[in-house]
Amino acid sequence: MAMKQKFHIAILPSPGISHLIPFVEFAKRLLLQNNNFHVTCIIPNNGPPSKATKAIVESLPTSIDSIFLPPVSFNDFPNGIVPILQIILTMSRSLPSLRHVLESLVSKAHLSAFLTDLFGTDTLDVAKEFNIPAFIFFPSPATVLSLFLMAPKLDVTVPCEFRDLPGPMEIPGAIPIRGKDLPEPFQNRKSEIYKCFLNLAKRLTEVEGIMVNTFTDMEFGAIKAMQHQKGEPNCIISPPVYPIGPIIQTGSSSDDHGSECSTWLDNQPCGSVLYVSFGSGGTLSTEQLKELALGLEMSGQKFLWVVRRSNELPSAAYLNSQLSQGDFDPSEVLPNGFLGRTKGQGLVVASWAPQIEILRHGSTGGFLTHCGWNSTLEGVMFGKPLIAWPLFAEQEMNAVMLVEVLKVALRPKASESGLIGREEIVKVVKGLIEGEEGKRLGQRMNDLKDAANRALSKDGSSTRALSELASKWQNLEASK
């Protein structure tokens, strides 16, 4: 009997653990639904891979290969470079080594598709050289994708800085969004970063399709606007869009922190604990860290808090494995006596904790999050209501959606200086864990969790979208 043909695709996430994880999990989901695919994950670098990156790669199934590209150098930036530019430049400076890898892969077998993300649009030229159909995997919300697809038009039609607009911006199908809540690169149109993003956005329409890590019931309006035919009212000109989420991290950890967290949670009452984490890259200033500590203490509520060294740059840990995962003594950054005073009330762990296990646990009643999309979807999948505390990237937009549209999150108010004070923290923590509003948020989050599970079921919308995509790749290969 003839062996079934294997279709081979290559995926290229941009640097950062929060980009690698959804790409890898997407590949696993594809293989689970279609066992006649083989995936090669190409990983760009600007230094040695972090411990977390190595752990993810080492746990890949045999049908996913991995190739680390040689690290690029930033020696021409002697005074350092902000994380967002590091990501964009790492991708563009990896083009020669990517060309070499694709050449090698194509010499062994046909590639049915090449997938990268928004930051990798420069790599589309290399895929084109080898005649490989190119796709974008957008691991953020459809609402943010619609903004990027509209960005070239907005750049021409909006005369002022977006943050100075008198009212919210109307993006077809999406939530009305205030200029001040747009992602950081949109806050200064004269900046190099904005120009980079505009160039990335202009290339989104060149691909054969865009996969989005979301599901129809969560962002119906934005998805519908992008799936409308050109010329229809309220449409966004876009390649075919495939909502295939929620895709979240699978697998667990046997790390020491893991057993410590699980054992502690096992001894807490059901739904009583607030989990506090700012993702793989978020950091708080020294002053904000102190206010959060005192607010948690004064609330009297149980908490499990992943503490990181303070830094004035909110995204400081994003590409810095020392900050994001380095072990240190949390007492170095917490108020004097805090750990002693809260010993029965809370558990503090340094830098990292097994988030999936914590959110899955019955004792966890809520999640204070930076609103990164991976963390947001994990909160949804485990039905935990949120406290929204956005820090950088598209997190402000995510927070607006969670608080104002989906109504599954509370958001503490910051002072004019941007600091969130301890009294405000007490108010939202108590409100979420023991207040009536917290119960209403919890019910809505459970409804969203049910909708997510329906989307991922055998005949669900996300399962169908992924099947449609797999068929498209197979047909593209057959037509060569």
Side-chain angles (χ1 to χ4, degrees), residues 401-467:
M401 189 200 323
L402 293 164
V403 175
E404 297 178 20
V405 180
L406 297 169
K407 296 183 168 57
V408 292
L410 296 177
R411 184 166 181 181
K413 292 182 176 66
S415 67
E416 282 184 23
S417 69
L419 190 76
I420 299 172
R422 59 194 80 168
E423 291 84 4
E424 182 66 17
I425 293 163
V426 170
K427 185 174 139 192
V428 292
V429 170
K430 289 182 85 162
L432 189 79
I433 298 296
E434 62 176 24
E436 286 304 311
E437 192 172 12
K439 286 180 190 150
R440 286 193 293 273
L441 294 181
Q443 186 52 59
R444 279 193 290 269
M445 188 57 108
N446 269 320
D447 293 344
L448 199 57
K449 172 188 174 181
D450 291 344
N453 284 314
R454 281 196 303 275
L456 296 174
S457 66
K458 192 180 174 190
D459 298 313
S461 57
S462 294
T463 304
R464 290 197 310 272
L466 187 52
S467 293

Side-chain angles (χ1 to χ4, degrees), residues 38-83:
H38 189 88
V39 179
T40 297
C41 181
I42 305 166
I43 304 166
N45 289 286
N46 59 358
S50 69
K51 195 168 90 174
T53 299
K54 284 181 186 166
I56 288 167
V57 169
E58 283 163 10
S59 67
L60 291 175
T62 52
S63 46
I64 305 177
D65 297 327
S66 61
I67 298 173
F68 284 96
L69 294 181
V72 301
S73 167
F74 292 130
N75 289 343
D76 49 331
F77 290 90
N79 298 321
I81 177 171
V82 294

